[in-house]
């Protein structure tokens, strides 16, 4: 089950193929409350690639993360991050994944 909540989604491209959800949560978690993260791994012509999706609760946090991390070298690759888009996302709980890192809700 889960709950649909409004989020600000960052599309994170050019992730290192070894990257996992925990890596994204650690990297982006300092910027604000994160409702969910996911990593999609694809193989094309024998080459593995990963895409990440980071779902922030607040738009200003998503934009700050993008400004700081777009083009940053992470795990030997240069991240490509699109501007945040508002979406309703199915998340496991209304409580952000990293709520303990930030002020009470």
């Amino acid at each position: 089950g889960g709950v649909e909540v409004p989020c600000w989604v960052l599309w994170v491209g050019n992730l290192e193929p070894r990257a996992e959800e925990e890596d994204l949560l650690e990297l982006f978690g300092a910027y604000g409350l994160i409702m969910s993260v996911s990593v999609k791994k694809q193989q094309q012509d024998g080459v593995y690639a990963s895409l990440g999706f980071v779902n922030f609760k607040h738009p200003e946090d998503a934009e700050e993360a993008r400004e700081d991390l777009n083009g940053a070298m992470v795990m030997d690759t240069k991240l490509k991050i699109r501007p945040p888009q508002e979406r309703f996302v199915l998340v496991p709980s209304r409580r952000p994944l990293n709520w303990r890192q930030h002020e009470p809700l």
Side-chain angles (χ1 to χ4, degrees), residues 59-73:
E60 61 274 12
D61 298 337
E63 187 53 47
E64 183 182 1
R66 180 181 179 272
E67 287 174 8
D68 284 357
L69 297 174
N70 187 37
M73 291 295 290

Side-chain angles (χ1 to χ4, degrees), residues 5 10-11 26 31 47 69 75 78:
V5 297
L10 286 182
W11 176 95
E26 185 177 326
Y31 292 93
V47 176
L69 297 174
M75 297 174 94
K78 191 173 184 178

